């Protein structure tokens, strides 16, 4: 359930991103920063596996044979084993936070409200549930 405080946090971040983005005002800069932080998130996950070892990835072919979507959803696996340690969590939170900052900056630059976008996505997901097929 959303709260006014959560909406205020998103709106505040979006407004702040516009104020503090001095070097990255161009939409081209914002787009490439999103790509950069996406890569940094992926790298942090990989390092959690290869350097730290707090998590493992045990991947195999997913079994998509099922009678219902509900059964299928329960059968599918994330392939992640273990729990992310505090050091790796902190690094991932930092990278994800930067990604969210630039995402809010993109929304601001294009003139739409990120809170509204999140609400619309949440409502679609609530209505469609497992049938969103994402």
């Amino acid at each position: 359930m959303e709260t006014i405080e959560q909406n205020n946090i998103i709106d505040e971040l979006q407004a702040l991103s516009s104020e503090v983005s001095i070097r990255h005002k161009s939409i081209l800069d914002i787009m490439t920063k999103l790509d950069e932080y996406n890569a940094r998130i992926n790298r942090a996950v990989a390092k959690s596996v290869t350097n730290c070892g707090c998590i493992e990835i045990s991947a195999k072919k997913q079994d998509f044979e099922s009678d219902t979507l509900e059964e299928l959803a329960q059968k599918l696996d994330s392939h992640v084993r273990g729990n992310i340690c505090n050091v790796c969590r902190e690094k991932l939170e930092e990278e994800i936070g930067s990604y969210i900052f630039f995402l809010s900056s993109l929304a601001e630059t294009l003139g739409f409200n990120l809170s509204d976008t999140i609400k619309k996505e949440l409502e679609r997901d609530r209505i469609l549930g497992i049938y969103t097929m994402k």
Side-chain angles (χ1 to χ4, degrees):
M1 179 128 191
E2 67 188 51
T3 66
I4 293 171
E5 183 178 320
Q6 289 170 328
N7 288 338
N8 288 341
I9 290 171
I10 296 166
D11 292 342
E12 184 178 341
L13 177 62
Q14 186 167 343
L16 185 63
S17 71
S18 178
E19 291 175 23
V20 301
S21 292
I22 303 300
R23 293 180 21 212
H24 306 293
K25 278 290 190 197
S26 167
I27 193 162
L28 296 173
D29 287 336
I30 295 167
M31 290 168 37
T32 57
K33 290 303 275 186
L34 280 168
D35 282 344
E36 175 187 340
Y37 279 98
N38 183 54
R40 292 175 72 147
I41 291 166
N42 290 341
R43 176 107 171 119
V45 171
K47 288 298 184 181
S48 295
V49 174
T50 62
N51 274 10
C52 178
C54 60
I55 60 173
E56 294 179 2
I57 298 174
S58 178
K60 61 182 178 182
K61 180 180 176 188
Q62 297 276 24
D63 178 11
F64 289 100
E65 297 296 321
S66 189
D67 291 333
T68 67
L69 286 175
E70 290 82 6
E71 283 179 18
L72 179 61
Q74 291 188 357
K75 286 173 54 175
L76 298 178
D77 187 2
S78 71
H79 299 132
V80 177
R81 305 291 180 264
N83 295 306
I84 197 108
C85 72
N86 289 337
V87 172
C88 293
R89 177 181 302 280
E90 188 175 308
K91 181 64 176 170
L92 276 163
E93 285 177 345
E94 179 184 330
E95 303 299 4
I96 291 170
S98 293
Y99 185 91
I100 293 169
F101 174 87
F102 285 106
L103 185 63
S104 67
S105 184
L106 179 66
E108 181 70 15
T109 299
L110 294 174
F112 62 90
N113 184 277
L114 190 57
S115 289
D116 293 341
T117 303
I118 293 169
K119 287 178 200 172
K120 288 175 186 175
E121 179 63 25
L122 183 58
E123 188 61 25
R124 277 190 299 270
D125 293 343
R126 282 181 180 151
I127 290 169
L128 295 174
I130 195 169
Y131 300 102
T132 61
M133 300 297 284
K134 291 185 180 180

